[in-house]
Amino acid sequence: DARHARDSTCLPGRATVPRSRRAGGGGGEAVSESGHGGVLLSLRGVGRRLPSGARMLTVLDGVDLDVRRGEFVAVLGPSGSGKSTLLALMAGLDRPSGGEIVLDGERVDRLSEDRLALLRRQKVGFVFQSFQLLGNLTALENVLLPLELAGSRDARARARELLAQVGLADRT
């Protein structure tokens, strides 16, 4: 939207983060709605470099971002601009080449793989583009599985409630 476009810096072939939300370059454009509460997720100087043939490819460089509790953020940008990389870093699915990521008070970039798995299970939800559903399970069973693995009390009722919240109550 025009309000966000005028506050952003766009580099050719790269997405942007609005100036009010970043100090470094690169990454996706974070378009947010006003939130409530303290900072839930904080990125400072986050970068990601990957080998590409004989050279290193800079996917993200110096991304600074704060997401407050209750805030909605959309990451926008052209294909190849680093959106998926940024999301993977924020969720602890990938490690940054530099900078720090703090999720709910924990330095995600310093956690062990076991601690990361626990953090993701307790505090991060994913909706993948390809859904990552198990084809031989119903929608209810796909939602129920991670709840049961997490030891959730009354997992079946919670799974039904979650499906109802997204308009899929009939998929049980």
Side-chain angles (χ1 to χ4, degrees):
D1 102 353
R3 179 172 50 99
H4 294 291
R6 75 167 189 272
D7 294 333
S8 301
T9 300
C10 187
L11 303 174
R14 300 187 77 166
T16 62
V17 176
R19 285 189 192 111
S20 62
R21 306 278 302 202
R22 69 171 176 95
E29 178 179 353
V31 179
S32 64
E33 293 295 321
S34 182
H36 300 51
V39 174
L40 178 64
L41 176 68
S42 178
L43 285 73
R44 292 290 171 261
V46 171
R48 185 68 173 111
R49 294 172 47 97
L50 301 166
S52 178
R55 65 183 186 99
M56 291 298 286
L57 175 66
T58 300
V59 179
L60 297 172
D61 186 22
V63 176
D64 289 341
L65 174 68
D66 287 328
V67 178
R68 299 191 177 286
R69 292 183 190 284
E71 187 173 37
F72 291 89
V73 178
V75 181
L76 309 170
S79 179
S81 64
K83 301 177 302 292
S84 294
T85 300
L86 179 64
L87 293 172
L89 290 170
M90 291 190 298
L93 292 172
D94 194 7
R95 303 263 185 185
S97 303
E100 69 179 51
I101 301 169
V102 179
L103 175 61
D104 203 20
E106 292 195 64
R107 282 281 305 265
V108 173
D109 54 294
R110 291 188 176 169
L111 295 178
S112 69
E113 288 301 322
D114 287 344
R115 183 65 190 117
L116 271 173
L118 185 60
L119 179 83
R120 286 189 299 261
R121 186 180 84 193
Q122 294 173 339
K123 299 182 180 187
V124 179
F126 297 97
V127 178
F128 292 98
Q129 285 179 330
S130 60
F131 304 116
Q132 307 297 326
L133 297 175
L134 301 175
N136 59 330
L137 300 181
T138 66
L140 176 64
E141 292 166 336
N142 268 284
V143 174
L144 188 58
L145 182 62
L147 292 171
E148 287 179 335
L149 290 173
S152 177
R153 288 186 307 231
D154 208 8
R156 184 167 292 275
R158 179 69 176 139
R160 289 181 191 279
E161 176 186 322
L162 291 169
L163 285 170
Q165 285 179 8
V166 295
L168 297 175
D170 62 332
R171 302 287 182 98
T172 59

mmCIF file of all heavy atoms in Angstrom, residues 137-168:
data_model
loop_
_atom_site.group_PDB
_atom_site.id
_atom_site.type_symbol
_atom_site.label_atom_id
_atom_site.label_comp_id
_atom_site.label_asym_id
_atom_site.label_seq_id
_atom_site.Cartn_x
_atom_site.Cartn_y
_atom_site.Cartn_z
ATOM 1 N N LEU A 137 -4.053 -38.985 6.896
ATOM 2 C CA LEU A 137 -4.768 -38.548 8.091
ATOM 3 C C LEU A 137 -5.828 -37.519 7.718
ATOM 4 O O LEU A 137 -5.676 -36.772 6.760
ATOM 5 C CB LEU A 137 -3.803 -37.906 9.101
ATOM 6 C CG LEU A 137 -2.658 -38.768 9.644
ATOM 7 C CD1 LEU A 137 -1.842 -37.963 10.652
ATOM 8 C CD2 LEU A 137 -3.176 -40.051 10.266
ATOM 9 N N THR A 138 -6.893 -37.463 8.510
ATOM 10 C CA THR A 138 -7.910 -36.426 8.322
ATOM 11 C C THR A 138 -7.341 -35.095 8.803
ATOM 12 O O THR A 138 -6.284 -35.054 9.457
ATOM 13 C CB THR A 138 -9.176 -36.745 9.141
ATOM 14 O OG1 THR A 138 -8.836 -36.668 10.539
ATOM 15 C CG2 THR A 138 -9.746 -38.115 8.803
ATOM 16 N N ALA A 139 -8.054 -34.007 8.539
ATOM 17 C CA ALA A 139 -7.634 -32.695 9.032
ATOM 18 C C ALA A 139 -7.551 -32.717 10.556
ATOM 19 O O ALA A 139 -6.582 -32.210 11.139
ATOM 20 C CB ALA A 139 -8.589 -31.607 8.557
ATOM 21 N N LEU A 140 -8.541 -33.321 11.202
ATOM 22 C CA LEU A 140 -8.532 -33.422 12.657
ATOM 23 C C LEU A 140 -7.293 -34.169 13.138
ATOM 24 O O LEU A 140 -6.609 -33.723 14.069
ATOM 25 C CB LEU A 140 -9.802 -34.116 13.166
ATOM 26 C CG LEU A 140 -9.854 -34.354 14.680
ATOM 27 C CD1 LEU A 140 -9.874 -33.025 15.432
ATOM 28 C CD2 LEU A 140 -11.064 -35.202 15.046
ATOM 29 N N GLU A 141 -6.980 -35.285 12.524
ATOM 30 C CA GLU A 141 -5.817 -36.076 12.929
ATOM 31 C C GLU A 141 -4.501 -35.326 12.691
ATOM 32 O O GLU A 141 -3.571 -35.425 13.490
ATOM 33 C CB GLU A 141 -5.815 -37.416 12.190
ATOM 34 C CG GLU A 141 -6.956 -38.319 12.631
ATOM 35 C CD GLU A 141 -7.185 -39.497 11.696
ATOM 36 O OE1 GLU A 141 -6.801 -39.404 10.504
ATOM 37 O OE2 GLU A 141 -7.758 -40.505 12.154
ATOM 38 N N ASN A 142 -4.426 -34.545 11.597
ATOM 39 C CA ASN A 142 -3.225 -33.748 11.330
ATOM 40 C C ASN A 142 -3.017 -32.678 12.396
ATOM 41 O O ASN A 142 -1.890 -32.392 12.786
ATOM 42 C CB ASN A 142 -3.300 -33.102 9.945
ATOM 43 C CG ASN A 142 -2.676 -33.957 8.875
ATOM 44 O OD1 ASN A 142 -1.460 -34.041 8.771
ATOM 45 N ND2 ASN A 142 -3.514 -34.612 8.077
ATOM 46 N N VAL A 143 -4.113 -32.077 12.896
ATOM 47 C CA VAL A 143 -4.016 -31.072 13.952
ATOM 48 C C VAL A 143 -3.779 -31.742 15.299
ATOM 49 O O VAL A 143 -3.028 -31.247 16.137
ATOM 50 C CB VAL A 143 -5.287 -30.196 13.990
ATOM 51 C CG1 VAL A 143 -5.278 -29.241 15.177
ATOM 52 C CG2 VAL A 143 -5.434 -29.427 12.683
ATOM 53 N N LEU A 144 -4.374 -32.882 15.488
ATOM 54 C CA LEU A 144 -4.271 -33.621 16.743
ATOM 55 C C LEU A 144 -2.857 -34.153 16.995
ATOM 56 O O LEU A 144 -2.381 -34.142 18.138
ATOM 57 C CB LEU A 144 -5.274 -34.785 16.706
ATOM 58 C CG LEU A 144 -5.496 -35.600 17.956
ATOM 59 C CD1 LEU A 144 -5.949 -34.721 19.104
ATOM 60 C CD2 LEU A 144 -6.546 -36.676 17.672
ATOM 61 N N LEU A 145 -2.181 -34.593 15.962
ATOM 62 C CA LEU A 145 -0.869 -35.235 16.113
ATOM 63 C C LEU A 145 0.141 -34.386 16.894
ATOM 64 O O LEU A 145 0.689 -34.854 17.899
ATOM 65 C CB LEU A 145 -0.318 -35.627 14.737
ATOM 66 C CG LEU A 145 1.030 -36.344 14.742
ATOM 67 C CD1 LEU A 145 0.945 -37.665 15.500
ATOM 68 C CD2 LEU A 145 1.474 -36.589 13.306
ATOM 69 N N PRO A 146 0.425 -33.137 16.505
ATOM 70 C CA PRO A 146 1.402 -32.365 17.284
ATOM 71 C C PRO A 146 0.919 -32.037 18.696
ATOM 72 O O PRO A 146 1.726 -31.933 19.621
ATOM 73 C CB PRO A 146 1.623 -31.088 16.465
ATOM 74 C CG PRO A 146 0.478 -31.009 15.529
ATOM 75 C CD PRO A 146 -0.016 -32.407 15.315
ATOM 76 N N LEU A 147 -0.388 -31.908 18.881
ATOM 77 C CA LEU A 147 -0.919 -31.662 20.220
ATOM 78 C C LEU A 147 -0.668 -32.861 21.123
ATOM 79 O O LEU A 147 -0.279 -32.714 22.288
ATOM 80 C CB LEU A 147 -2.415 -31.341 20.155
ATOM 81 C CG LEU A 147 -2.786 -30.017 19.486
ATOM 82 C CD1 LEU A 147 -4.298 -29.918 19.288
ATOM 83 C CD2 LEU A 147 -2.270 -28.848 20.292
ATOM 84 N N GLU A 148 -0.883 -34.056 20.588
ATOM 85 C CA GLU A 148 -0.637 -35.266 21.373
ATOM 86 C C GLU A 148 0.853 -35.444 21.652
ATOM 87 O O GLU A 148 1.250 -35.821 22.752
ATOM 88 C CB GLU A 148 -1.203 -36.489 20.654
ATOM 89 C CG GLU A 148 -2.722 -36.532 20.704
ATOM 90 C CD GLU A 148 -3.288 -37.730 19.963
ATOM 91 O OE1 GLU A 148 -2.629 -38.259 19.041
ATOM 92 O OE2 GLU A 148 -4.423 -38.124 20.300
ATOM 93 N N LEU A 149 1.697 -35.166 20.661
ATOM 94 C CA LEU A 149 3.151 -35.273 20.858
ATOM 95 C C LEU A 149 3.641 -34.304 21.927
ATOM 96 O O LEU A 149 4.597 -34.583 22.643
ATOM 97 C CB LEU A 149 3.894 -35.027 19.546
ATOM 98 C CG LEU A 149 3.755 -36.110 18.487
ATOM 99 C CD1 LEU A 149 4.394 -35.674 17.180
ATOM 100 C CD2 LEU A 149 4.358 -37.428 18.976
ATOM 101 N N ALA A 150 2.971 -33.166 22.042
ATOM 102 C CA ALA A 150 3.341 -32.166 23.048
ATOM 103 C C ALA A 150 2.749 -32.486 24.417
ATOM 104 O O ALA A 150 3.015 -31.787 25.383
ATOM 105 C CB ALA A 150 2.883 -30.780 22.601
ATOM 106 N N GLY A 151 1.942 -33.551 24.505
ATOM 107 C CA GLY A 151 1.340 -33.929 25.777
ATOM 108 C C GLY A 151 0.194 -33.029 26.191
ATOM 109 O O GLY A 151 -0.114 -32.912 27.377
ATOM 110 N N SER A 152 -0.455 -32.408 25.231
ATOM 111 C CA SER A 152 -1.560 -31.497 25.511
ATOM 112 C C SER A 152 -2.728 -32.235 26.148
ATOM 113 O O SER A 152 -3.142 -33.284 25.666
ATOM 114 C CB SER A 152 -2.012 -30.833 24.206
ATOM 115 O OG SER A 152 -3.106 -29.994 24.420
ATOM 116 N N ARG A 153 -3.234 -31.654 27.236
ATOM 117 C CA ARG A 153 -4.423 -32.228 27.865
ATOM 118 C C ARG A 153 -5.613 -31.947 26.985
ATOM 119 O O ARG A 153 -5.736 -30.866 26.418
ATOM 120 C CB ARG A 153 -4.648 -31.615 29.244
ATOM 121 C CG ARG A 153 -3.648 -32.084 30.280
ATOM 122 C CD ARG A 153 -4.040 -31.530 31.628
ATOM 123 N NE ARG A 153 -4.211 -30.078 31.526
ATOM 124 C CZ ARG A 153 -3.646 -29.205 32.333
ATOM 125 N NH1 ARG A 153 -2.908 -29.604 33.314
ATOM 126 N NH2 ARG A 153 -3.854 -27.922 32.168
ATOM 127 N N ASP A 154 -6.490 -32.895 26.865
ATOM 128 C CA ASP A 154 -7.709 -32.760 26.071
ATOM 129 C C ASP A 154 -7.389 -32.318 24.643
ATOM 130 O O ASP A 154 -7.982 -31.383 24.098
ATOM 131 C CB ASP A 154 -8.672 -31.786 26.754
ATOM 132 C CG ASP A 154 -10.126 -32.096 26.403
ATOM 133 O OD1 ASP A 154 -10.387 -33.146 25.764
ATOM 134 O OD2 ASP A 154 -10.990 -31.276 26.741
ATOM 135 N N ALA A 155 -6.413 -33.004 24.056
ATOM 136 C CA ALA A 155 -5.920 -32.654 22.724
ATOM 137 C C ALA A 155 -7.013 -32.704 21.665
ATOM 138 O O ALA A 155 -7.071 -31.851 20.782
ATOM 139 C CB ALA A 155 -4.766 -33.583 22.336
ATOM 140 N N ARG A 156 -7.892 -33.691 21.742
ATOM 141 C CA ARG A 156 -8.946 -33.825 20.730
ATOM 142 C C ARG A 156 -9.884 -32.613 20.747
ATOM 143 O O ARG A 156 -10.205 -32.050 19.701
ATOM 144 C CB ARG A 156 -9.735 -35.125 20.924
ATOM 145 C CG ARG A 156 -10.776 -35.352 19.836
ATOM 146 C CD ARG A 156 -11.308 -36.769 19.858
ATOM 147 N NE ARG A 156 -10.311 -37.743 19.473
ATOM 148 C CZ ARG A 156 -10.015 -38.091 18.214
ATOM 149 N NH1 ARG A 156 -10.656 -37.520 17.223
ATOM 150 N NH2 ARG A 156 -9.101 -38.987 17.961
ATOM 151 N N ALA A 157 -10.286 -32.167 21.930
ATOM 152 C CA ALA A 157 -11.161 -30.995 22.034
ATOM 153 C C ALA A 157 -10.431 -29.748 21.518
ATOM 154 O O ALA A 157 -11.026 -28.924 20.818
ATOM 155 C CB ALA A 157 -11.616 -30.795 23.477
ATOM 156 N N ARG A 158 -9.159 -29.620 21.842
ATOM 157 C CA ARG A 158 -8.379 -28.466 21.381
ATOM 158 C C ARG A 158 -8.235 -28.486 19.864
ATOM 159 O O ARG A 158 -8.350 -27.446 19.207
ATOM 160 C CB ARG A 158 -6.998 -28.462 22.050
ATOM 161 C CG ARG A 158 -6.108 -27.326 21.617
ATOM 162 C CD ARG A 158 -6.611 -25.983 22.131
ATOM 163 N NE ARG A 158 -5.661 -24.953 21.766
ATOM 164 C CZ ARG A 158 -5.990 -23.758 21.329
ATOM 165 N NH1 ARG A 158 -7.254 -23.410 21.242
ATOM 166 N NH2 ARG A 158 -5.071 -22.894 20.998
ATOM 167 N N ALA A 159 -8.010 -29.657 19.292
ATOM 168 C CA ALA A 159 -7.886 -29.777 17.836
ATOM 169 C C ALA A 159 -9.196 -29.368 17.157
ATOM 170 O O ALA A 159 -9.179 -28.649 16.160
ATOM 171 C CB ALA A 159 -7.497 -31.203 17.451
ATOM 172 N N ARG A 160 -10.310 -29.804 17.700
ATOM 173 C CA ARG A 160 -11.623 -29.415 17.146
ATOM 174 C C ARG A 160 -11.820 -27.898 17.244
ATOM 175 O O ARG A 160 -12.318 -27.264 16.321
ATOM 176 C CB ARG A 160 -12.751 -30.148 17.870
ATOM 177 C CG ARG A 160 -12.830 -31.616 17.551
ATOM 178 C CD ARG A 160 -14.006 -32.259 18.296
ATOM 179 N NE ARG A 160 -13.974 -33.688 18.216
ATOM 180 C CZ ARG A 160 -14.410 -34.406 17.174
ATOM 181 N NH1 ARG A 160 -14.903 -33.789 16.134
ATOM 182 N NH2 ARG A 160 -14.342 -35.715 17.188
ATOM 183 N N GLU A 161 -11.429 -27.323 18.370
ATOM 184 C CA GLU A 161 -11.543 -25.874 18.569
ATOM 185 C C GLU A 161 -10.681 -25.111 17.546
ATOM 186 O O GLU A 161 -11.130 -24.132 16.960
ATOM 187 C CB GLU A 161 -11.086 -25.535 19.995
ATOM 188 C CG GLU A 161 -11.045 -24.065 20.320
ATOM 189 C CD GLU A 161 -10.431 -23.825 21.699
ATOM 190 O OE1 GLU A 161 -10.676 -24.621 22.626
ATOM 191 O OE2 GLU A 161 -9.694 -22.836 21.834
ATOM 192 N N LEU A 162 -9.467 -25.575 17.323
ATOM 193 C CA LEU A 162 -8.576 -24.916 16.364
ATOM 194 C C LEU A 162 -9.126 -25.001 14.943
ATOM 195 O O LEU A 162 -9.079 -24.017 14.200
ATOM 196 C CB LEU A 162 -7.173 -25.523 16.438
ATOM 197 C CG LEU A 162 -6.401 -25.224 17.714
ATOM 198 C CD1 LEU A 162 -5.151 -26.090 17.805
ATOM 199 C CD2 LEU A 162 -6.048 -23.749 17.803
ATOM 200 N N LEU A 163 -9.649 -26.153 14.567
ATOM 201 C CA LEU A 163 -10.246 -26.285 13.236
ATOM 202 C C LEU A 163 -11.463 -25.364 13.088
ATOM 203 O O LEU A 163 -11.645 -24.745 12.038
ATOM 204 C CB LEU A 163 -10.641 -27.738 12.966
ATOM 205 C CG LEU A 163 -9.475 -28.682 12.658
ATOM 206 C CD1 LEU A 163 -9.952 -30.131 12.655
ATOM 207 C CD2 LEU A 163 -8.818 -28.323 11.342
ATOM 208 N N ALA A 164 -12.246 -25.240 14.141
ATOM 209 C CA ALA A 164 -13.413 -24.353 14.093
ATOM 210 C C ALA A 164 -12.983 -22.891 13.927
ATOM 211 O O ALA A 164 -13.622 -22.131 13.198
ATOM 212 C CB ALA A 164 -14.248 -24.516 15.360
ATOM 213 N N GLN A 165 -11.881 -22.508 14.568
ATOM 214 C CA GLN A 165 -11.402 -21.127 14.483
ATOM 215 C C GLN A 165 -11.026 -20.721 13.062
ATOM 216 O O GLN A 165 -11.086 -19.548 12.718
ATOM 217 C CB GLN A 165 -10.191 -20.924 15.396
ATOM 218 C CG GLN A 165 -10.535 -20.845 16.856
ATOM 219 C CD GLN A 165 -9.300 -20.660 17.721
ATOM 220 O OE1 GLN A 165 -8.199 -20.456 17.245
ATOM 221 N NE2 GLN A 165 -9.499 -20.744 19.022
ATOM 222 N N VAL A 166 -10.643 -21.690 12.240
ATOM 223 C CA VAL A 166 -10.245 -21.379 10.868
ATOM 224 C C VAL A 166 -11.303 -21.851 9.849
ATOM 225 O O VAL A 166 -11.024 -21.965 8.663
ATOM 226 C CB VAL A 166 -8.849 -21.952 10.526
ATOM 227 C CG1 VAL A 166 -7.776 -21.290 11.375
ATOM 228 C CG2 VAL A 166 -8.817 -23.465 10.674
ATOM 229 N N GLY A 167 -12.505 -22.121 10.341
ATOM 230 C CA GLY A 167 -13.609 -22.474 9.459
ATOM 231 C C GLY A 167 -13.564 -23.886 8.915
ATOM 232 O O GLY A 167 -14.167 -24.185 7.875
ATOM 233 N N LEU A 168 -12.881 -24.793 9.602
ATOM 234 C CA LEU A 168 -12.764 -26.170 9.124
ATOM 235 C C LEU A 168 -13.360 -27.176 10.109
ATOM 236 O O LEU A 168 -12.925 -28.330 10.155
ATOM 237 C CB LEU A 168 -11.298 -26.514 8.850
ATOM 238 C CG LEU A 168 -10.603 -25.713 7.756
ATOM 239 C CD1 LEU A 168 -9.128 -26.070 7.673
ATOM 240 C CD2 LEU A 168 -11.283 -25.949 6.417
#
